[in-house]
Each structure stands twice: as structure tokens, then as C-alpha cells.
Amino acid sequence: PVVLGGGGGNSSRSILAAVAIIIIAIFAPYAAAALGATGAGAAALSAGIVMVGTALVNAVIAPKEEKQQGQQANNTYNVAASANQAKLNQPIPVGYGLLRTYPDYAAQPYTEYTTETNEDGDQYFYALYAIGQGEYNITAVMLGDTAISSFRDVDYKILRPGEAPTIVNPMVVTGVEAGGQILSTTPVGPFVACGPSRRITHIGIDLTFAKGLTDIHIPTGKAGPISVTVFVDIVEVNDAFKLLGEWKRLATEVIRGSSVTPQRRSFKYAVPEHKRYAVRLTRANEQSRNVDHYDEITWSAMRGYLAGEAPLAANTTHLELRMRATEQLNSLSQRKIGVLWQRLLRTWHPDTGMSELVTTRNPMWALLDKWLDPVYGDRMPLERVDLENIYALAQIADARKDRFDYIFEVGTTSYEADKLIARVMRSVPVRRNGVRSVVRDEKNDLPVTAYTARNILRDSTSM
């Protein structure tokens, strides 16, 4: 691909700098004469003026270095900036060799509260990650620099290509607009549960009581039980954000508590039909003004559970994870999920042909995979690959311990990818009559020209 200029910014700066330097060179002799210099002294002073002027021009208006267009910064090897990200409209990575990476989100992460293990409500973080296209042998899953097995409150599962998630629901979207709304007897909302052209099967609501939920008994100072009622209403909305029909009562929640500890609750409701809905919340009675009465409710989050199958790439290895928020596992930890993996590839042998998947860091088997793969590769048939040569070079790579540890995270051309892989062995990819092969820079015997009647002296004989 050809990278076009970005509006001529650098070109105009270069022209301006060149013109300024020319002007300095023209007027330098006059400036030296004006300062009273003559002969050799004038020439030296003129040269000095040109040097100083050129340095000033380069410092002020020299061209700035531009980043290549169409590429996103790679943070795989940057420890300080490494974190999980959602890279929209970017290719799914393809990795080779042995690496530690911080995989991208394959779906929008979300949180839910549960009272199963804590009556005050524990928060759980759910995330689905795309490790890369192809098969990988996962050596370790890490949270920061520590193996995730060291933490008791984390569940995870490696999903092979085509395997559906069971811990995480990849079809969940979070409506951030609903977060942080204090409920009152006046309806709060409406907030739409999903984007245009999407339909939902369930709605999730999170309510929090930051100061607890209780009524302090003045004489004894003990926390007494109280309850708060919340109404959940929905209405259908079209893709133009127009409300259709009348509001309908989806649920009435009565939340009870007797603690000054912050309370957190999640509720999930099935909707009557798979449509797009707007949601509003209303509390049945006003918040108490009594300083000993704690019943302030915050609508902290809303989720829409989408209808349909998750559009996950069938040829990609995924990681699904469920993490309980604790003092150790906080929001910072959630973005530091790393994976140590080694790529699984098929190799070739002259006697047995293609093998099963094996762990390898050999650059020639990476190149063979790139040529043969029908999804991210070149889709080449075996007969159009110089397998004997690839096998011979693979043996050399094993003997020399040449390794190709790399992850392709941004788009590139097929030939550039081939050159990058082959460069590990001082090699270049070549194409001869439609056949892919590799030529290595190594010591070889020069070919000897055969003697024929065309280059033998007539009537001569050999001794």
C-alpha cells in the first residue's frame, strides 16, 4: 500500500526552511562586510553566519517526523503502558513463537453485584479477551506480574477456536449514561438499554446505597431494619430514539437492609419481546431527611443483554474471566490481564507429511503457516510451496536455535510479513513459477559450467 502525504505539512516546512537557508547564504557576505571584516576574515565570518543561521532554521521550522498512517501503537512489549484495550475495527492479532501479551477485549466487559457470598453485595467483573487467531498453548495467565492462580477470587477458562463461552456473556452492553443518578419520586430517565438496530432479551439494573440502608436507633445506637421500594418502567423505542407506546411496569423491587455498610444490588429482568427499550426508575417515597435514616439510592449502572449469537471469530483463541472486586483485585488489576503463550503450528516431514499441532518457535514453520492458512494467510495449496527447502531450512533453524517470537497486530502486506519472518534466518522469500520458497544468505559452492562442443577446442584431448 502507498502511504499518502498528510496535507503537505512537512513539505511546506521543508520548502520554507530551504528558502530561509538560501537567503542567509546570500546575505552572509554583506553582513560580514558590514561588521568590518575583509579578506580571509570576511570569508570565515560569512561561513560562521551561515552555520549559525542554518542551525536556527532547523531548530525552528525543521520538518517534524510523521507517524505512519493507518497503524495503532503496539503496547505488547511496553511494560509501563501495557494494559488490555478494546481496539475497534482493528485486525485480530496473529502470534508466533513464545510471548507474553495483554490481549484485547473481544466483547464489552461488564460488572454485576451478587449477595451469594456477601449480604452487602460483592461486585464481579466479567471480561472476554481475544488472545489471537489460531491455536495457542497457554503457559500462564497473569494479573500484573503474578500468576492468576495465586488469587482465590478469579475464575477463568481458555476457549479454543469455535468454543463458546460459559462464564461470560459476550452479548452485554452497558449504558454508562444511567450511572450515578440519585433516585427520587420523580422518574429518573429514560435511558436506552442498547444502541440502534440492536434488540435485547433482558435488562440489568444496579442500585447502590453508598451510606448503607438502615435506621439508627438513637437510644441504643443500633442499626434497625428499613425498606425502600423502587419501580422499574420500560417503553419501546425505535432506532430514531422515538418512544413508542405507553410506559409499562416491568418490576417493583423492595430492598431491605439494616447496615451502615454500603449496599449493592443487581437485578435482571426478562423483557416481554425482543425489542429496543428505554428504562426509567422511580422510588415510591422521598428520601428521608432524618440524619439517622440512611436510604439514599443511586442508580449506578444499566445493562442490556442482546439477542442473537455472539459474533466471535471462529478461528480465534479466547480467554473468559470472572473476577471478584477486593482490595487486591481492583479496577487497576482488571486492565492488567496478561497471557504467556506459545504458538501451536503444523510442521512438515518428507516421510510423514503434515503433522498435528505442536508447539514451535521455528520461523520456517511460521512462514509455512502464514502461506497455508485459509483465514489470515495466503490460502496456498501445498503443491505451490517448496516444502523440501522449507524443511531443510527448518532443520538449520533448530540447530542454530533461530526463533521467531512476534505478534502481528496491525495490517500489513503479505510480502512484508514474509520478509519479516524470513529475516530471522538471513533469508528472503522468493516466488518461482508460482511456487513459494526461501533463499538463505549462506556459504554455497558456485555452480561449475559443463564442457560441451560449444566451448571445447576442436581436436583437443584431455590428459
Side-chain angles (χ1 to χ4, degrees):
V2 178
V3 179
L4 302 179
N10 276 357
S11 299
S12 60
R13 295 175 68 92
S14 299
I15 295 173
L16 183 59
V19 171
I21 292 172
I22 292 173
I23 293 174
I24 292 172
I26 292 174
F27 286 96
Y30 297 99
L35 293 174
T38 59
L45 182 57
S46 176
I49 293 173
V50 172
M51 292 177 62
V52 173
T54 301
L56 290 174
V57 168
N58 288 333
V60 176
I61 58 176
K64 295 180 179 178
E65 182 181 359
E66 290 186 354
K67 294 183 179 179
Q68 186 176 357
Q69 295 182 3
Q71 299 209 355
Q72 187 166 336
N74 184 325
N75 66 4
T76 300
Y77 311 104
N78 188 344
V79 176
S82 53
N84 310 109
Q85 302 180 28
K87 297 180 181 177
L88 300 179
N89 300 319
Q90 295 295 317
I92 300 175
V94 178
Y96 291 106
L98 175 66
L99 278 177
R100 175 188 176 184
T101 60
Y102 294 86
D104 304 327
Y105 292 118
Q108 185 181 109
Y110 62 96
T111 59
E112 289 181 345
Y113 297 115
T114 179
T115 56
E116 294 178 1
T117 55
N118 181 3
E119 62 180 8
D120 296 329
D122 281 330
Q123 184 188 61
Y124 278 85
F125 172 77
Y126 296 82
L128 182 68
Y129 306 90
I131 296 175
Q133 298 187 67
E135 297 250 15
Y136 299 81
N137 178 35
I138 309 301
T139 306
V141 178
M142 309 187 73
L143 199 159
D145 294 323
T146 304
I148 208 166
S149 57
S150 300
F151 300 92
R152 295 181 300 173
D153 301 311
V154 179
D155 298 319
Y156 73 92
K157 182 181 179 182
I158 303 298
L159 303 176
R160 298 302 175 189
E163 186 177 356
T166 56
I167 300 175
V168 176
N169 185 345
M171 298 292 286
V172 177
V173 292
T174 302
V176 295
E177 298 85 359
Q181 307 291 329
I182 305 297
L183 297 188
S184 68
T185 54
T186 301
V188 176
F191 298 106
V192 182
C194 64
S197 76
R198 292 184 168 185
R199 303 296 179 262
I200 61 175
T201 62
H202 294 77
I203 292 174
I205 300 295
D206 289 349
L207 301 178
T208 59
F209 301 81
K211 300 178 181 179
L213 180 61
T214 186
D215 184 11
I216 303 297
H217 191 257
I218 296 299
T220 62
K222 294 184 178 180
I226 62 171
S227 64
V228 177
T229 301
V230 177
F231 303 123
V232 182
D233 300 322
I234 62 171
V235 64
E236 184 184 351
V237 59
N238 63 16
D239 290 343
F241 298 92
K242 181 180 179 181
L243 304 184
L244 306 178
E246 301 294 329
W247 286 95
K248 299 179 181 179
R249 182 62 42 87
L250 181 64
T252 300
E253 294 294 343
V254 180
I255 304 104
R256 297 177 174 84
S258 58
S259 173
V260 293
T261 304
Q263 304 291 299
R264 303 178 293 184
R265 301 287 188 273
S266 286
F267 304 95
K268 184 177 179 181
Y269 313 105
V271 295
E273 299 179 75
H274 295 177
K275 295 181 179 180
R276 189 173 184 231
Y277 292 95
V279 184
R280 72 181 185 188
L281 299 186
T282 313
R283 57 182 296 163
N285 58 305
E286 284 290 354
Q287 178 181 334
S288 175
R289 297 182 180 275
N290 191 332
V291 295
D292 299 318
H293 200 87
Y294 301 96
D295 65 346
E296 180 184 88
I297 313 174
T298 301
W299 184 1
S300 56
M302 177 177 66
R303 291 173 301 281
Y305 297 78
L306 303 178
E309 296 293 330
L312 301 179
N315 67 315
T316 299
T317 299
H318 292 91
L319 164 69
E320 59 175 341
L321 177 140
R322 179 177 184 258
M323 177 192 304
R324 185 170 72 91
T326 62
E327 293 181 356
Q328 288 181 311
L329 304 179
N330 49 38
S331 59
L332 179 62
S333 302
Q334 295 170 1
R335 292 179 55 82
K336 296 286 289 183
I337 302 299
V339 178
L340 182 64
W341 50 257
Q342 188 167 356
R343 183 65 194 274
L344 293 166
L345 298 174
R346 295 196 301 162
T347 64
W348 183 85
H349 191 277
D351 298 329
T352 59
M354 297 298 295
S355 72
E356 299 296 326
L357 290 172
V358 295
T359 57
T360 178
R361 301 168 66 185
N362 194 303
M364 289 300 105
W365 301 136
L367 191 58
L368 181 64
D369 173 78
K370 187 264 178 187
W371 285 344
L372 299 181
D373 192 271
V375 178
Y376 55 82
D378 297 333
R379 308 176 181 87
M380 301 294 296
L382 274 176
E383 55 269 20
R384 291 186 58 185
V385 176
D386 187 358
L387 294 171
E388 296 283 352
N389 182 52
I390 294 297
Y391 175 77
L393 291 178
Q395 305 312 301
I396 295 175
D398 285 339
R400 288 170 43 87
K401 292 182 170 42
D402 290 335
R403 302 290 182 252
F404 182 67
D405 302 326
Y406 190 80
I407 184 167
F408 291 94
E409 293 186 289
V410 296
T412 185
T413 64
S414 175
Y415 187 59
E416 288 298 325
D418 290 350
K419 290 196 299 181
L420 180 63
I421 299 173
R423 193 181 305 159
V424 175
M425 295 187 64
R426 301 197 310 271
S427 306
V428 292
V430 295
R431 303 179 184 184
R432 297 170 177 166
N433 299 323
V435 176
R436 302 287 180 93
S437 186
V438 177
V439 175
R440 184 170 185 266
D441 182 13
E442 58 186 349
K443 182 179 179 181
N444 284 315
D445 294 330
L446 294 175
V448 179
T449 303
Y451 284 99
T452 66
R454 188 181 295 273
N455 57 16
I456 296 178
L457 182 64
R458 184 184 295 276
D459 297 329
S460 64
T461 59
S462 62
M463 299 301 293

